């Protein structure tokens, strides 16, 4: 454990996590008798959970491009990538149970982050597709209403006149 801790310190010099906190985290995750394949990744994630700004900056600097690449596999538009990257950051660090705390060190942190980013990107693309479909359905209904010749009640005429420019 000492060697793994020292390797993590060397890998992440701007990240401070006490040795005892590192060992407690390993124990909590069930790594009592052995070390996880990515002990330095666990070190970094635990430091994030404890609020180390240096840890988040290290994750952002080191893993931003692999995360962006995973998002681009779903949608290559710059807007989608940037917005989804913000969602990934938010889900990793925000809330009562930040996602970064679920990393167990069984595989490499970069691979775990890529999978997480891709899943979030897929969910976001699906949500955007549903939103676009709802907007298209609304446009069709609005166009049908505005073009309906039998709508003669005063409120229907008023609405038809108000929204006619939207469908033209």
């Amino acid at each position: 454990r000492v060697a793994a801790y020292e390797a993590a310190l060397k890998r992440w010099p701007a990240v401070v996590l006490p040795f005892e906190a590192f060992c407690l985290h390993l124990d909590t995750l069930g790594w009592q008798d052995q070390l996880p394949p990515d002990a330095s990744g666990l070190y970094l994630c635990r430091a994030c959970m404890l609020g180390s700004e240096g840890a988040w900056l290290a994750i952002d600097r080191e893993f931003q491009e692999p995360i962006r690449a995973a998002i681009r596999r779903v949608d290559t538009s710059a807007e989608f990538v940037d917005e989804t990257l913000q969602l990934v950051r938010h889900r990793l660090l925000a809330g009562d149970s930040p996602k970064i705390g679920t990393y167990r060190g069984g595989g490499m942190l970069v691979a775990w982050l890529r999978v997480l980013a891709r899943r979030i990107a897929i969910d976001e693309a699906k949500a955007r597709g549903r939103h676009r479909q709802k907007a298209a359905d609304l446009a069709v209904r609005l166009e049908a209403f505005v073009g309906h010749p039998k709508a003669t009640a005063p409120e229907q005429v008023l609405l038809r006149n108000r929204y006619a420019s939207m469908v033209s």
Side-chain angles (χ1 to χ4, degrees):
R1 285 187 170 190
V2 170
Y5 179 78
E6 289 174 353
L9 284 173
K10 185 177 180 183
R11 175 96 200 280
W12 313 111
V15 178
V16 178
L17 179 68
F19 179 70
E20 296 77 22
F22 176 66
C23 290
L24 180 61
H25 190 54
L26 291 174
D27 291 343
T28 301
L29 295 175
W31 295 106
Q32 289 92 359
D33 299 328
Q34 58 184 344
L35 288 173
D38 191 5
S40 69
L42 271 179
Y43 172 94
L44 187 60
C45 291
R46 185 62 185 157
C48 276
M49 289 294 296
L50 295 176
S52 168
E53 186 176 331
W56 173 247
L57 292 173
I59 285 178
D60 202 38
R61 181 182 59 250
E62 183 82 14
F63 302 112
Q64 185 179 131
E65 193 45 47
I67 290 170
R68 283 181 174 276
I71 295 168
R72 276 193 293 273
R73 291 185 68 196
V74 175
D75 184 329
T76 59
S77 72
E79 175 190 348
F80 181 84
V81 172
D82 290 342
E83 289 177 9
T84 305
L85 179 62
Q86 291 305 317
L87 281 173
V88 170
R89 287 174 173 153
H90 178 76
R91 292 201 186 143
L92 278 171
L93 295 174
D96 294 334
S97 182
K99 201 74 169 156
I100 197 83
T102 65
Y103 176 65
R104 301 187 53 79
M108 298 307 291
L109 178 58
V110 67
W112 183 83
L113 288 168
R114 282 193 304 251
V115 169
L116 176 75
R118 183 143 185 217
R119 287 179 181 164
I120 291 170
I122 289 168
D123 290 347
E124 182 64 11
K126 286 179 183 177
R128 287 179 179 212
R130 285 188 301 268
H131 178 73
R132 279 193 291 272
Q133 184 60 45
K134 285 180 183 178
D137 292 346
L138 180 60
V140 167
R141 287 195 308 261
L142 182 61
E143 190 171 330
F145 172 75
V146 169
H148 195 278
K150 295 181 181 176
T152 57
E155 64 274 4
Q156 291 175 324
V157 171
L158 179 66
L159 287 171
R160 189 171 49 235
N161 290 339
R162 178 178 293 163
Y163 295 109
S165 65
M166 292 179 74
V167 294
S168 307

